[in-house]
Amino acid sequence: MRSWPELLLRGRYLWLFFVALGSTFMVRYALRVEITQDFVKVVPSDDPDYKTYLAFRQEFGEDAGTVVLGINIPSSADSNFWEGIKKLSDTLARLRGVKQVFGVPTAVRVRWNGERFQTEPLNLPSDSLSWARLRQQNPIYLRLLWDTLGRTTLLFIRLDSLVLHTRAKHALIDSIEHLSNQWATSQSVEIHFAGVPYLRHYVAQLLPHELWIFICASLGLTVVVLLIYFRSWYAAVFPVVLLGLSALWTVGIIGLYGFKLTLLTALLPPVIIILGIPPSIYMLSDYHRLYVAKGNKVAAIQEMLRHLGVVTFMINANTAFGFLTLYLTNVVPLQEFGLVAFWGTMVTYILTILLLPSFFMLLPEPKERHLRHLTNRWIVRLVRWVGQVVEQRKIWIYGLTALLFVIGGIGVVRLRAVSYMADDLPSDAQFLQDQRFFERYYGGMMPFEIVIEAKQAQGLRRLRTIRALSALQDSLSKYPEFARSLSLADLLKAGRQAFWGGAPQAYALPQPEELPVLLRAMRKQEVDFFLLGSLVDTSYQRTRITTFVKDIGSADMPRLLREVQKDIQATFGEEAESIRITGTTLIFLKAIDYLIDNLVWSLVATFLLVALQMFILYGSVRIMLISICVNLLPLFLVAGLMGYMGMPIKPSTALIYEMAFGIVVDSAIHFLSSYQWYYRRHPIPARAAIVSIHHTGALIAYTSFVLLIGFGIFIFSSFGGTRALGILTAISLGIGFFSNIFLMPALLISLRQSDEGVVKRVLRQVKQRG
């Protein structure tokens, strides 16, 4: 009966045909994958805050659908300047997908005709005096359309919800940005952009572009390093072709499931490529070693498959099931990431085991220059030195390990979890510079909403409730984090000002006898003129206080929310129970907490899964504990270094732990498999460990170096998350090399632990008794 390696090689043309057919099939589905344009759903549907947010959007509309333009007003601004803003406003309003433009040119003044309110456009300023007079006469717009000193003005561009959640929004925002910058250049003024749609557009356009540049650079460097080491084009090109097919199949799997491409799933193709590099190097190097030993290409490939086929499967299965733990979370993006990563990792194994040996069979036998890496004097000296240190200087290894744990422990104490809505952007990004402009003059541009619900219909018509709204707004104004807030109380103040002839001093809460008149006269259309959306429902039972908040991060936001909740309780008393804080900012930061909590849980589950796998493979509790502790060292030290470097825990850094742990465990499985094989033939732990170092040390060192080069290129990224990916993974690989090549064999020798562990010992005793 033929062995499975022989069957695999005999059917190589069939496997190549099936892979080509499958790749053609996957291309069709990969081309169907779309980038999601929606806010990625992370918070579970049954979360109370998320339910409140959905109810808010259903009642009052999208709170994160506005692009904001900030314009510096020159000291010499005249009528031409303001006419220019009006022309810009009109041009933007005509763009397809723009629902409304709200600014000085489109704002209205309310007049009282004796029976009802009427609106008329504001008179555009012609000089600094008329601009000061306009600001004085319309206090409703203070810190909404202009800052306190009148040095800047804002344009609010409200986007149609149908465009907001489609790919068309990017072309629309590009047009808004182009027209606005063109106008600003003609007027020689500075213009700034803000708003959640603009932030999403900015990240969606910049991050994928840079990510693909670094992926290509990483692959290019990998090819160069492989070429230098193996001195063969096929050794450099074919693994990259194989990994390219793996990435294609991964994107195809996304299409098969009908998922959309998010910032998380967009990381999968490069992750699959990077994780697929070590098996290719191991197989290629082992093939060369066996070819030298046997002198026959076919025999060398078959023996290589027997040596590494199962080991590679264990490694890929370990990584795949580690990713699959993400599917057990209750966060949809993580579930999608885990499911696709699981199948992508297993597909990579299938493609590797089918294609790489087939490529070797089709290519000519290796030449002498291709085999020089086996006797590279630098690698030989390194491996010999490692063996000597492990055998003679174990106390140094344990001392350094203890020192690393102490250093990591001190750093872990300093570690903190914090995320921002504008996270990971380059420090010199134009968006962040614009954000500082808005925070300086207006206080913030991230949506923040408070929903007030009366116990019954028409409950908001009471003067006591209106005064409570205004009092809560006064409390909000004391916090530097908040921008100007607006509510039904502001509309009534403006209505009272109009009722008394437009006198600025009349801009105040109505008296008890004035309130019924103002409420009867106020209609829904007048409310819309002010707010880019409604402030109160038609039954006068639910209303909102709408404002903007600075991007203060997930660490400070809970403190601010507690303070605001205290103000709500102090202002509304027993009615505070029916008041809810909501908005895109709150849901986003809550989503970050969900992501981090679930990623931590998933990492713990991965530890347990790997521990179980080690126990099943080697039947030894001690080997299981050794392998887990050894591979915890890189993650523990990386966490400590994050604390020293001020890198916070956030989704982009927490996900790195999952990937880095999978990579270092792969090296551990290779070493332990070699140790087990040699110990069966030479049951002396010290000898088995040293021989395993000589057998796998060079490969572990080289794969660690190649991966370090591949990840290291990301250090030069301008995005914080991508840069953290490079820095932290490179450090993990360096420490992982030390732990697997120095610490692992030293512990195996010291503890005199063979592969005959608890399970095998018990089974042997049972057989003897039987």
Side-chain angles (χ1 to χ4, degrees):
M1 183 177 179
R2 293 190 178 96
S3 62
W4 72 268
E6 187 177 355
L7 291 173
L8 191 66
L9 295 182
R10 282 183 173 272
R12 58 186 177 275
Y13 294 107
L14 183 63
W15 310 137
L16 290 172
F17 172 76
F18 280 137
V19 169
L21 189 65
S23 299
T24 304
F25 176 77
M26 284 299 184
V27 165
R28 293 178 56 194
Y29 281 91
L31 293 175
R32 298 179 185 178
V33 175
E34 296 182 359
I35 300 176
T36 182
Q37 306 300 327
D38 296 321
F39 187 74
V40 178
K41 184 180 178 298
V42 174
V43 182
S45 301
D46 58 352
D47 182 84
D49 289 333
Y50 188 69
K51 288 182 177 179
T52 300
Y53 176 66
L54 291 180
F56 166 83
R57 287 180 56 180
Q58 184 71 24
E59 184 72 45
F60 298 106
E62 180 72 58
D63 68 320
T66 303
V67 175
V68 186
L69 267 62
I71 303 172
N72 287 89
I73 302 174
S75 57
S76 60
D78 55 12
S79 58
N80 291 330
F81 173 80
W82 291 103
E83 286 293 338
I85 292 182
K86 185 178 187 306
K87 290 180 181 179
L88 174 63
S89 176
D90 294 341
T91 302
L92 297 176
R94 287 193 295 268
L95 291 176
R96 186 175 182 181
V98 173
K99 194 171 184 179
Q100 181 187 13
V101 177
F102 179 58
V104 172
T106 59
V108 296
R109 177 186 292 109
V110 182
R111 296 293 189 189
W112 176 253
N113 66 0
E115 296 180 357
R116 63 189 300 273
F117 289 116
Q118 293 180 332
T119 59
E120 61 183 33
L122 297 180
N123 295 322
L124 292 179
S126 57
D127 52 31
S128 58
L129 292 178
S130 59
W131 172 230
R133 187 165 53 251
L134 177 69
R135 302 198 318 269
Q136 181 187 13
Q137 293 174 351
N138 297 276
I140 180 69
Y141 298 124
L142 177 62
R143 296 187 66 222
L144 175 64
L145 294 184
W146 50 74
D147 65 279
T148 307
L149 300 177
R151 295 176 179 175
T152 63
T153 185
L154 301 183
L155 283 180
F156 293 84
I157 306 167
R158 190 180 180 190
L159 306 185
D160 193 303
S161 59
L162 296 177
V163 175
L164 192 62
H165 302 291
T166 65
R167 190 182 300 177
K169 77 175 179 185
H170 295 299
L172 175 59
I173 295 177
D174 279 336
S175 298
I176 292 172
E177 192 172 13
H178 173 72
L179 291 171
S180 302
N181 284 326
Q182 193 176 50
W183 174 84
T185 302
S186 67
Q187 295 285 337
S188 299
V189 297
E190 290 185 9
I191 195 166
H192 308 271
F193 298 88
V196 174
Y198 185 76
L199 171 60
R200 293 177 185 169
H201 165 78
Y202 189 88
V203 173
Q205 297 298 303
L206 192 58
L207 180 57
H209 176 71
E210 184 179 282
L211 191 60
W212 281 114
I213 290 176
F214 279 98
I215 289 172
C216 294
S218 177
L219 280 176
L221 281 175
T222 302
V223 169
V224 171
V225 174
L226 289 173
L227 185 61
I228 292 173
Y229 186 71
F230 290 108
R231 298 176 183 272
S232 170
W233 279 105
Y234 76 78
V237 173
F238 279 111
V240 173
V241 172
L242 170 63
L243 298 176
L245 287 175
S246 301
L248 169 65
W249 281 59
T250 302
V251 179
I253 290 169
I254 296 174
L256 276 173
Y257 274 106
F259 298 152
K260 290 189 176 182
L261 204 64
T262 65
L263 288 179
L264 272 180
T265 52
L267 289 173
L268 277 175
V271 167
I272 293 297
I273 288 173
I274 292 169
L275 294 180
I277 290 174
S280 299
I281 295 176
Y282 276 108
M283 284 190 170
L284 184 58
S285 186
D286 204 48
Y287 162 55
H288 284 174
R289 182 183 64 83
L290 291 168
Y291 176 78
V292 171
K294 295 180 178 294
N296 183 281
K297 181 174 74 171
V298 176
I301 296 174
Q302 290 179 354
E303 188 67 19
M304 179 269 292
L305 287 173
R306 274 190 286 270
H307 280 181
L308 295 180
V310 177
V311 174
T312 304
F313 174 77
M314 291 189 301
I315 289 172
N316 282 68
N318 164 67
T319 305
F321 281 100
F323 281 128
L324 195 60
T325 57
L326 294 172
Y327 189 73
L328 303 178
T329 66
N330 59 350
V331 177
V332 173
L334 290 182
Q335 290 177 335
E336 294 179 0
F337 183 92
L339 192 61
V340 175
F342 170 80
W343 289 116
T345 305
M346 295 312 298
V347 161
T348 301
Y349 169 74
I350 294 172
L351 293 176
T352 301
I353 210 71
L354 291 180
L355 294 185
L356 213 55
S358 300
F359 288 156
F360 294 160
M361 287 294 294
L362 295 174
L363 293 168
E365 294 182 352
K367 297 179 181 180
E368 183 181 352
R369 70 173 186 273
H370 302 154
L371 306 174
R372 289 175 186 168
H373 64 90
L374 297 174
T375 56
N376 184 292
R377 66 169 184 257
W378 298 106
I379 297 295
V380 172
R381 288 176 182 176
L382 172 65
V383 171
R384 187 181 296 124
W385 175 75
V386 171
Q388 292 173 353
V389 171
V390 169
E391 196 169 15
Q392 303 171 13
R393 299 286 188 270
K394 287 189 284 293
I395 191 66
W396 291 7
I397 297 173
Y398 299 147
L400 180 58
T401 301
L403 179 63
L404 292 176
F405 268 112
V406 170
I407 293 173
I410 296 173
V412 166
V413 175
R414 303 180 181 183
L415 199 60
R416 62 193 184 99
V418 58
S419 293
Y420 298 86
M421 289 194 72
D423 228 345
D424 294 330
L425 288 178
S427 58
D428 59 346
Q430 185 60 46
F431 181 87
L432 295 181
Q433 296 179 30
D434 290 347
Q435 182 173 267
R436 287 189 282 271
F437 164 85
F438 289 102
E439 290 181 350
R440 175 186 176 187
Y441 289 105
Y442 297 94
M445 279 293 137
M446 301 302 174
F448 191 95
E449 304 284 346
I450 301 176
V451 179
I452 299 94
E453 184 172 359
K455 294 182 179 179
Q456 57 188 4
Q458 308 301 318
L460 297 175
R461 291 178 175 270
R462 297 180 303 170
L463 183 59
R464 189 183 71 176
T465 303
I466 302 299
R467 287 175 175 171
L469 286 175
S470 182
L472 181 56
Q473 288 181 263
D474 292 339
S475 298
L476 294 179
S477 66
K478 297 176 183 177
Y479 298 101
E481 295 87 350
F482 285 115
R484 158 78 185 274
S485 63
L486 285 171
S487 74
L488 177 62
D490 294 290
L491 299 186
L492 289 171
K493 290 177 183 179
R496 183 177 186 273
Q497 180 185 0
F499 186 81
W500 292 106
Q505 58 269 26
Y507 181 79
L509 288 175
Q511 298 299 316
E513 64 276 9
E514 298 169 339
L515 183 61
V517 178
L518 296 177
L519 289 174
R520 279 196 300 269
M522 205 165 271
R523 293 291 182 267
K524 183 71 162 50
Q525 60 267 28
E526 279 80 21
V527 174
D528 283 344
F529 274 114
F530 288 102
L531 260 210
L532 304 169
S534 62
L535 282 175
V536 63
D537 68 343
T538 54
S539 66
Y540 273 80
Q541 187 172 0
R542 284 178 296 277
T543 188
R544 65 194 279 207
I545 296 177
T546 182
T547 184
F548 296 99
V549 66
K550 292 181 180 179
D551 190 11
I552 60 175
S554 58
D556 288 338
M557 185 58 75
R559 183 265 312 165
L560 182 62
L561 291 175
R562 286 192 298 270
E563 296 295 329
V564 173
Q565 200 64 53
K566 290 179 183 178
D567 293 333
I568 292 173
Q569 185 65 44
T571 304
F572 285 87
E574 296 179 356
E575 298 178 358
E577 295 181 359
S578 61
I579 299 175
R580 297 287 182 269
I581 300 174
T582 187
T584 297
T585 304
L586 180 66
I587 296 301
F588 174 84
L589 294 175
K590 187 158 191 173
I592 295 298
D593 292 336
Y594 267 103
L595 273 174
I596 293 176
D597 290 344
N598 281 274
L599 283 171
V600 171
W601 183 91
S602 173
L603 189 59
V604 172
T606 302
F607 289 155
L608 298 176
L609 190 65
V610 170
L612 180 62
Q613 181 188 21
M614 292 294 185
F615 182 76
I616 293 173
L617 287 175
Y618 305 110
S620 169
V621 174
R622 270 190 284 182
I623 280 189
M624 177 189 74
L625 295 176
I626 287 173
S627 62
I628 291 298
C629 292
V630 163
N631 288 289
L632 277 179
L633 174 61
L635 303 188
F636 190 74
L637 186 61
V638 165
L641 291 176
M642 285 176 61
Y644 287 117
M645 298 167 66
M647 283 187 179
I649 295 179
K650 51 188 175 181
S652 59
T653 53
L655 193 61
I656 293 171
Y657 287 96
E658 191 92 27
M659 187 167 58
F661 184 67
I663 294 174
V664 295
V665 167
D666 291 352
S667 298
I669 292 176
H670 269 290
F671 182 86
L672 288 173
S673 297
S674 177
Y675 172 84
Q676 180 189 35
W677 190 87
Y678 278 106
Y679 185 84
R680 286 174 179 172
R681 287 151 181 81
H682 309 283
I684 302 173
R687 181 176 179 181
I690 298 303
V691 172
S692 297
I693 290 173
H694 284 272
H695 178 60
T696 62
L699 289 177
I700 291 175
Y702 188 66
T703 52
S704 297
F705 177 72
V706 172
L707 289 173
L708 192 146
I709 291 293
F711 280 106
I713 192 68
F714 290 99
I715 294 175
F716 300 100
S717 171
S718 57
F719 278 89
T722 311
R723 186 167 56 251
L725 173 70
I727 295 173
L728 299 180
T729 309
I731 294 174
S732 298
L733 290 168
I735 304 300
F737 173 74
F738 165 79
S739 62
N740 282 311
I741 292 299
F742 288 92
L743 184 58
M744 175 89 75
L747 288 173
L748 288 172
I749 295 172
S750 297
L751 297 177
R752 298 289 178 182
Q753 178 59 53
S754 70
D755 61 318
E756 187 181 42
V758 176
V759 174
K760 294 181 180 179
R761 191 160 51 247
V762 170
L763 289 175
R764 188 183 63 183
Q765 292 172 357
V766 170
K767 288 180 180 179
Q768 290 174 349
R769 291 173 184 174

